[in-house]
Amino acid sequence: TGYEIVMLLEFRRVLFRSSPTNGTVLNVGTNTLSVVFTPTDTNDYNSASNTVTLVVQPEPLTVTGSNATRTYGQTNPVFGGTLIGVTNGDNITATFASSATSNNTVGTYPIVPTLVDPSHRLTNYSATTNNGTLTIIPASATITWTNPAPIVDGTPVSTNQLHAIRRSEEHT
């Protein structure tokens, strides 16, 4: 964190100073803990100090994109997902995106999560990223074709009889 945290305890006229203090959240890796004993009664006590190391393992963090479906020709829905494992009030969030556009063909496309870490705390995690899937389905289409008026035998069929209109959810 860039500075030393000091804790003072006084017990029977003796003074202990430890670093870091109780409640400090340590970063991942090997951390040195130290204590210094400074007696207020130097006739009965000598000064002493000691250090130990404490290894902090990374916290598991999992981000998973939720699956989504949309119809061909439509815009993408708002993508979402889950973020599990953020601890200590760390400001880690996730965004979810797909490279698919409204003109992409029917099929499946990845929904990719991206971790957002403005406070640079992600180094304290072992992150697993799972893509979601965007499934683009065909647009529904209907054909409207009214019955044409009867024609006399031998009359060639024209656009009057063959006039059909395709309608879909997206295009009319």
Side-chain angles (χ1 to χ4, degrees):
T1 57
Y3 58 89
E4 182 177 297
I5 301 170
V6 177
M7 178 176 73
L8 301 175
L9 297 173
E10 189 164 342
F11 179 74
R12 292 193 183 186
R13 300 175 47 100
V14 295
L15 185 66
F16 290 89
R17 192 175 296 210
S18 66
S19 174
T21 61
N22 184 27
T24 300
V25 176
L26 301 173
N27 287 324
V28 166
T30 302
N31 293 270
T32 301
L33 309 178
S34 63
V35 65
V36 176
F37 169 67
T38 306
T40 55
D41 178 358
T42 56
N43 291 325
D44 295 322
Y45 300 99
N46 292 325
S47 295
S49 64
N50 200 354
T51 60
V52 295
T53 58
L54 176 65
V55 176
V56 177
Q57 300 292 330
E59 179 74 22
L61 179 70
T62 303
V63 58
T64 303
S66 295
N67 296 334
T69 302
R70 73 160 170 85
T71 304
Y72 171 77
Q74 296 292 316
T75 58
N76 287 336
V78 175
F79 299 123
T82 58
L83 180 60
I84 299 171
V86 176
T87 61
N88 302 315
D90 289 341
N91 185 24
I92 297 172
T93 59
T95 61
F96 304 88
S98 178
S99 61
T101 66
S102 61
N103 293 328
N104 281 95
T105 59
V106 170
T108 59
Y109 300 86
I111 298 171
V112 181
T114 301
L115 291 167
V116 179
D117 179 24
S119 302
H120 310 288
R121 299 291 296 161
L122 199 52
T123 57
N124 290 309
Y125 295 86
S126 174
T128 300
T129 301
N130 301 307
N131 290 346
T133 300
L134 171 64
T135 302
I136 300 176
I137 60 174
S140 297
T142 58
I143 297 176
T144 304
W145 194 359
T146 56
N147 287 328
I151 58 172
V152 177
D153 183 35
T155 304
V157 177
S158 70
T159 57
N160 289 337
Q161 290 81 32
L162 299 177
H163 183 70
I165 301 171
R166 177 188 69 95
R167 297 201 192 287
S168 71
E169 292 177 5
E170 295 75 35
H171 309 286
T172 56

